[in-house]
Amino acid sequence: MSSARRTLPIRYAPYPGEALDSWLEAFAARLGCPFTDVLGALGLPNRDPAVAAPVLPRWTTVATPGELAAITEVTGVAAEVLAAMTLQPYDGHAVEIVPGQRRVHRQALWGRAGSRFCPACLEETGGRWQLAWRLGWSFACTRHHVLLADRCPACLRTPRLRSHPRREVPRPGLCSSAAVAGGPRPRRCHHPLSDTRVTALTPGGALEETQRLINTALAAPDRMARWSLYGPGGVPLQTALRDLKSLGALVLNHATNADLHSAAPTEVLDRLERYRTNPLSARSQRHPDTQRSDVHSYFAPDDAAAAAVATTAGLRILCAADIPDAADAARWLIERVASSGRALYPAGVVSVGGTLSPVLEAALRCSRETQIMPVYRLRYRTPVHSTRSPSNQDTRAGMLPAALWPEWALRLSSHHPSGKPVAKRTDELLAVACLLVGNTASIQAATRLTGTNVTSHNVSTLLAEITRRSDCTDVLPALILLADHLDQHGSPINYARRRALFTNQNRFIDPRRWNDLQRRLRSTGAPNVAHAQRWIFQTLTGSPPHLAHPGLAPAAGAQRQQYQRFRWRILPAEADLLTHTAQAILDEHSIDEPLQWTPRLPSHALRDLVLPGPEPDSITVTQLHHVVPMGDFSIAQVARTLNTTTAHVICLLSQHPVDWSPPRFRRTQHIAARLEQWRTWYEGDRLSLQSIADLEGISLATVRLALLKHAVPLRPAGSYPGRSRRK
């Protein structure tokens, strides 16, 4: 065996971008020898060992290091230059090469067999074939402003499907396919391919610009596609072309010529229409009656006009500025798919064209925004143009109260002109809706996890009402922002634990303590102690009282109304007692959490959203306290004075109790609130009655009577030298 191969007698440089087999054929033509002689000199097999027929050799797709080294030794062309003349540099980007078989996967990335060509380029170069013409993404010559030709006009065969006949001297620029006559040893067609008629393109037109954009992406050293939709960082070229293939398939399968007038001239659209009437070639083994209606999702178009139109229409979507713009650009196409009778659910709309990137998935979902049920809009987060698919978000249930926080419920709840809410138990329904954001859980499961007992129908009905009302345009986006905030920052309160601990408890405060306070605060009409128990239950768990223990939950509608009135008419001293009692209960259970909490989003997050309720902080506590009169008052009158809703005033009064008592009862309440501090000063710090009176700015008699009334033993006069004799 010879240790070294003999070099060929001439050196013949490849053209820029030329395919390896084209260069070797030109070599053989220059030497005037049969193609088999050149292959033998290079150590390349005359017949692919994997198949019986002389198909296109595997080294035209991927050459092994040994094959490259042998060619380099004989021709003097560097191995890296030779490797760039195969499809290997495009593997995983513009084509997918089957591992171990060295052939293009035809159903991935629109891989195709054979090669298109530009007749003018063949004439200028003496019949040299560009490697890029083999790609399904090549359909136009931007130098000569024409669509590439697909077939030889004489034999109607796609060029370069098979290897050049081994025993013939190559004739560059002539068709090497078998003539139409056929036979066991058919003669070659030998039609001059430079005479092929092609479709002219408008220089700088949409089709040509699409080809330029793809060529730029194919030539990028980092194989990244930096198209607008994908953001400044871009995505791997394979991802972008996979998206483009999926959109192109939808265009070919569903778009009409009327939809595509702005994308291509009439002559190109006519070619597209002829192609779509018989999308599979005559050589296909699939019977016409069994052809799939979405065949273009699997096979690259055989016609350059079809590839050009499909790619151009798809790129108009992928080059949109952002997801909302891409959704607008894709809406006509998705509507065409829907009109074909195919049901497009949120999960199904992204599978109509194959595997898509998250960005394109989001755009296609958002294109169906008005047709998607509100529940699915929350699951897929379409109102905020999210790229995330639903997942298990059940842990969020522990961060949510059974009834949404009062400030959030106020902001997100819509009311009729009469002031009544559009739905009962809206705060509970909104809490369930917040759990559904980005979540795969069913409505029934979400209801159970939040600890409420509303029905799935109630939730769906509220969400449907929200989407119909003009004043609720951004309620769904607000719920999504709230859910995202909880997922990112968590909650300092474990509401699930509190519901488990306290829902079955029916007593939180000793009735004697409550009644004792009432004797000091009110002369008549003291609130029922059951309301105090309910207040503590709701404060601890975030659940409305009707979800409490049966012995505590208000049974009748009148009781529920009385409790709601109790919440906004509660006096500061009553609120202090109940708050301290609730905090003591948490301490008894070793729960190191704040008693109450409300999530706060950045000030700009909700600023521009259209929400039905007022901003809770738009009225200050000082303003509220200033307008509430002493004695009995009307909540509606206070709302009119503050130019807001009754729901807003009720929310504020529940959180910031106002001392609306007459003057004599206000004094009593102040004494009740300060009594424990006076006791500490008197008994612990040994201050005199006069000193306490001076600190509080009241009379000594008031301090003395208050301590006596509450059974605080007073010290005898003069019991401490140097102190005043007065008690």
Side-chain angles (χ1 to χ4, degrees), residues 418-683:
S418 63
K420 293 184 178 181
V422 296
K424 295 180 179 179
R425 303 170 66 179
T426 302
D427 49 359
E428 297 172 65
L429 299 174
L430 289 172
V432 175
C434 188
L435 180 56
L436 292 174
V437 172
N439 200 351
T440 55
S442 66
I443 301 180
Q444 186 176 10
T447 300
R448 183 181 65 255
L449 288 169
T450 54
T452 184
N453 55 11
V454 295
T455 67
S456 300
H457 176 73
N458 295 147
V459 177
S460 299
T461 301
L462 174 68
L463 294 177
E465 179 69 17
I466 285 174
T467 57
R468 285 194 295 265
R469 296 181 63 94
S470 59
D471 61 339
C472 298
T473 302
D474 294 320
V475 169
L476 296 187
L479 284 170
I480 294 171
L481 291 175
L482 174 58
D484 289 348
H485 179 83
L486 294 175
D487 294 342
Q488 182 178 358
H489 301 286
S491 167
I493 295 178
N494 185 339
Y495 289 99
R497 175 174 60 180
R498 293 195 185 185
R499 287 193 287 267
L501 283 173
F502 304 123
T503 297
N504 293 325
Q505 187 171 334
N506 64 353
R507 176 169 169 169
F508 297 95
I509 187 172
D510 185 348
R512 290 175 297 179
R513 291 188 64 193
W514 177 256
N515 293 330
D516 182 60
L517 177 65
Q518 293 305 308
R519 284 194 298 271
R520 300 195 300 270
L521 292 181
R522 304 175 187 261
S523 58
T524 59
N528 191 321
V529 68
H531 292 330
Q533 308 284 12
R534 293 162 185 156
W535 190 97
I536 296 177
F537 167 78
Q538 185 171 4
T539 300
L540 286 173
T541 64
S543 302
H546 63 259
L547 298 176
H549 184 278
L552 184 59
Q559 290 180 339
R560 289 193 290 269
Q561 293 177 1
Q562 291 169 7
Y563 171 70
Q564 295 304 325
R565 179 179 173 85
F566 167 78
R567 284 190 62 82
W568 59 264
R569 289 182 66 85
I570 191 171
L571 296 171
E574 295 170 334
D576 287 344
L577 174 62
L578 298 180
T579 298
H580 292 152
T581 303
Q583 186 61 59
I585 293 173
L586 291 181
D587 295 340
E588 291 173 7
H589 288 83
S590 301
I591 298 177
D592 185 17
E593 295 175 353
L595 180 59
Q596 297 183 84
W597 173 78
T598 299
R600 303 286 182 182
L601 270 62
S603 57
H604 61 83
L606 304 178
R607 181 183 304 152
D608 299 324
L609 300 186
V610 178
L611 300 176
E615 168 62 46
D617 296 335
S618 60
I619 296 176
T620 66
V621 177
T622 301
Q623 291 174 310
L624 175 69
H625 288 198
H626 180 72
V627 301
V628 175
M630 290 184 295
D632 201 5
F633 64 93
S634 165
I635 196 74
Q637 180 59 49
V638 174
R640 285 193 293 269
T641 303
L642 293 172
N643 193 28
T644 188
T645 64
T646 56
H648 190 186
V649 175
I650 289 173
C651 178
L652 293 176
L653 287 174
S654 299
Q655 296 176 342
H656 309 287
V658 175
D659 191 353
W660 47 268
S661 305
R664 62 192 182 97
F665 288 110
R666 288 195 179 194
R667 184 167 59 251
T668 304
Q669 292 168 31
H670 176 74
I671 293 172
R674 299 295 296 165
L675 181 62
E676 289 302 318
Q677 181 63 61
W678 296 354
R679 185 195 296 270
T680 301
W681 283 342
Y682 187 74
E683 295 183 337

Side-chain angles (χ1 to χ4, degrees), residues 688-720:
S688 67
L689 298 180
Q690 185 62 56
S691 298
I692 295 173
D694 292 342
L695 287 172
E696 293 292 298
I698 57 178
S699 67
L700 181 145
T702 300
V703 177
R704 183 174 183 277
L705 290 174
L707 294 178
L708 285 174
K709 184 177 180 180
H710 292 86
V712 177
L714 301 184
R715 298 187 293 267
S719 57
Y720 291 90

Side-chain angles (χ1 to χ4, degrees), residues 15-20 60-61 63 68 78-90 130-132 223:
Y15 268 62
E18 186 176 10
L20 180 58
T60 60
T61 302
L68 294 175
E80 57 270 19
V81 175
L82 296 171
M85 299 169 70
T86 70
L87 290 176
Q88 185 174 5
Y90 295 110
Q130 289 288 301
L131 174 67
R223 304 297 185 187

Side-chain angles (χ1 to χ4, degrees), residues 179-510:
V180 178
R185 285 184 176 275
R187 64 179 181 83
R188 299 298 104 187
C189 174
H190 285 170
H191 181 81
L193 295 177
S194 59
D195 291 344
T196 306
R197 181 181 177 277
V198 289
T199 302
L201 298 179
T202 303
L207 301 183
E208 190 171 289
E209 288 305 308
T210 297
Q211 186 67 75
R212 291 184 191 278
L213 182 60
I214 291 179
N215 291 345
T216 300
L218 293 173
D222 57 358
R223 304 297 185 187
M224 297 291 288
R226 291 180 172 81
W227 300 342
S228 302
L229 181 62
Y230 299 112
V235 293
L237 180 58
Q238 180 186 28
T239 300
L241 293 183
R242 189 172 59 232
D243 284 350
L244 188 54
K245 172 199 169 182
S246 299
L247 291 173
L250 292 179
V251 171
L252 294 177
N253 288 325
H254 301 283
T256 66
N257 277 12
D259 297 325
L260 302 171
H261 272 308
S262 62
T266 302
E267 184 179 1
V268 176
L269 293 180
D270 290 342
R271 279 183 56 178
L272 169 64
E273 190 60 31
R274 289 194 297 272
Y275 166 74
R276 291 200 293 186
T277 59
N278 184 25
L280 291 180
S281 67
R283 298 177 60 85
S284 172
Q285 299 300 310
R286 189 187 299 272
H287 190 275
D289 292 340
T290 63
Q291 290 179 10
R292 294 180 61 106
S293 61
D294 58 348
V295 65
H296 301 292
S297 301
Y298 300 90
F299 299 101
D302 287 339
D303 191 293
V309 175
T311 306
T312 300
L315 266 182
R316 288 187 172 181
I317 297 172
L318 296 182
C319 290
D322 49 30
I323 290 176
D325 286 348
D328 291 339
R331 186 165 291 113
W332 70 270
L333 179 57
I334 300 304
E335 288 177 354
R336 280 282 180 255
V337 178
S339 65
S340 68
R342 184 167 186 168
L344 293 181
Y345 300 102
V349 71
V350 301
S351 65
V352 293
T355 304
L356 308 180
S357 68
V359 174
L360 183 56
E361 283 189 13
L364 294 186
R365 288 195 186 103
C366 291
S367 71
R368 298 282 293 170
E369 178 76 0
T370 56
Q371 284 77 35
I372 296 177
M373 293 176 61
V375 170
Y376 288 106
R377 293 173 66 185
L378 288 177
R379 290 196 196 283
Y380 289 89
R381 309 172 74 253
T382 56
V384 297
H385 313 115
S386 171
T387 59
R388 284 164 35 191
S389 296
S391 59
N392 188 324
Q393 300 292 339
D394 290 353
T395 55
R396 193 187 304 144
M399 310 176 197
L400 284 166
L404 203 66
W405 297 278
E407 296 93 329
W408 281 92
L410 172 69
R411 196 79 197 276
L412 303 182
S413 298
S414 185
H415 292 74
H416 294 298
S418 63
K420 293 184 178 181
V422 296
K424 295 180 179 179
R425 303 170 66 179
T426 302
D427 49 359
E428 297 172 65
L429 299 174
L430 289 172
V432 175
C434 188
L435 180 56
L436 292 174
V437 172
N439 200 351
T440 55
S442 66
I443 301 180
Q444 186 176 10
T447 300
R448 183 181 65 255
L449 288 169
T450 54
T452 184
N453 55 11
V454 295
T455 67
S456 300
H457 176 73
N458 295 147
V459 177
S460 299
T461 301
L462 174 68
L463 294 177
E465 179 69 17
I466 285 174
T467 57
R468 285 194 295 265
R469 296 181 63 94
S470 59
D471 61 339
C472 298
T473 302
D474 294 320
V475 169
L476 296 187
L479 284 170
I480 294 171
L481 291 175
L482 174 58
D484 289 348
H485 179 83
L486 294 175
D487 294 342
Q488 182 178 358
H489 301 286
S491 167
I493 295 178
N494 185 339
Y495 289 99
R497 175 174 60 180
R498 293 195 185 185
R499 287 193 287 267
L501 283 173
F502 304 123
T503 297
N504 293 325
Q505 187 171 334
N506 64 353
R507 176 169 169 169
F508 297 95
I509 187 172
D510 185 348

